[in-house]
Amino acid sequence: SFYLPNLDGGGAERVMINLANNLIEQNYEVELILTKNQGKYNDFLNDKISVIDLNCLRVSHSLFKLVRVINNRKPKIIISALNHANIIVSLANLIAMNKSSHIMTVHNTIFKKKSFIKDYIILLLMRLFSIFSTAIVAVSESVRDELINQLFFNKKKTRVIYNPINCDHIKKQSQKISKKIILPKKF
């Protein structure tokens, strides 16, 4: 299972969709749990992927619905992205009767946002709940170093896995663009 707030757009959402699409094509059972099923990335999601809409306005309001989904669906692994979503999944998994392996993913350097105090509190909560996670995946060495050295995440649990690249999509996009470009005869 993958958990995201929505599919409104952003790098983390796109990465999760790429992973889900790839796994479903390799014949894994894949479901996407969304706080609210909305967003421009819905069109990129493989039709074979089950989408569970918790129909909540905020991630924090989805906690008990998520606990119910974990208990009913019994996923072996839940992969979450975005810091506030990582906290809710850890908490829901802690409350649920069925314990799933939880993999937190961190897609940004941790101290880059405008709302420093709010973000720092979220990061501290994420650090606290990371104790209950199976693994923490950082998308780069610098993100991993920040998690370990500044927030004291467990070094053994924290791994770097770079963002996947959808080569087929890139090729298709480049073909569309190359058809539109008309070069002058003398180039």
Side-chain angles (χ1 to χ4, degrees):
S1 295
F2 290 87
Y3 178 83
L4 288 167
N6 54 51
L7 297 175
D8 280 340
E13 292 89 342
R14 187 59 198 237
V15 166
M16 297 299 249
I17 288 171
N18 285 342
L19 287 172
N21 286 342
N22 189 282
L23 288 171
I24 200 83
E25 291 302 322
Q26 293 181 39
N27 296 317
Y28 285 94
E29 278 186 57
V30 178
E31 61 189 13
L32 180 62
I33 305 166
L34 298 169
T35 302
K36 185 79 172 164
N37 188 6
Q38 64 184 26
K40 64 182 180 181
Y41 284 162
N42 263 317
D43 295 339
F44 295 106
L45 197 61
N46 188 312
D47 292 336
K48 298 177 196 171
I49 296 173
S50 301
V51 176
I52 300 167
D53 183 4
L54 301 179
N55 200 23
C56 296
L57 295 176
R58 301 179 59 86
V59 169
S60 59
H61 297 161
S62 70
L63 176 64
F64 293 107
K65 288 184 177 184
L66 183 56
V67 169
R68 229 174 289 126
V69 168
I70 293 170
N71 284 332
N72 292 336
R73 308 284 294 191
K74 298 175 180 32
K76 290 180 183 174
I77 301 170
I78 303 173
I79 302 171
S80 60
L82 305 174
N83 297 347
H84 60 305
N86 287 332
I87 295 166
I88 290 298
V89 172
S90 286
L91 186 55
N93 201 36
L94 188 62
I95 295 169
M97 301 301 244
N98 177 67
K99 302 298 181 212
S100 302
S101 293
H102 175 218
I103 300 172
M104 287 183 171
T105 63
V106 183
H107 292 260
N108 284 313
T109 54
I110 55 180
F111 296 112
K112 73 171 198 88
K113 298 191 176 180
K114 297 174 188 172
S115 174
F116 180 80
I117 294 172
K118 177 184 172 194
D119 290 326
Y120 192 72
I121 291 168
I122 288 172
L123 289 166
L124 288 176
L125 287 170
M126 194 171 76
R127 163 58 181 95
L128 174 69
F129 285 106
S130 73
I131 295 166
F132 305 108
S133 296
T134 308
I136 299 95
V137 173
V139 296
S140 70
E141 290 292 339
S142 62
V143 171
R144 181 178 187 264
D145 289 345
E146 282 185 352
L147 291 171
I148 292 167
N149 298 326
Q150 294 180 28
L151 287 169
F152 309 105
F153 274 67
N154 184 321
K155 188 175 186 173
K156 291 180 182 178
K157 280 185 170 183
T158 308
R159 302 274 184 267
V160 174
I161 300 177
Y162 299 105
N163 284 335
I165 298 171
N166 185 338
C167 294
D168 292 336
H169 178 72
I170 292 170
K171 285 177 187 175
K172 287 177 187 174
Q173 292 300 102
S174 70
Q175 289 169 352
K176 287 180 186 177
I177 292 170
S178 67
K179 290 177 183 175
K180 294 179 182 177
I181 297 174
I182 300 172
L183 296 174
K185 290 181 183 179
K186 291 184 181 183
F187 185 70

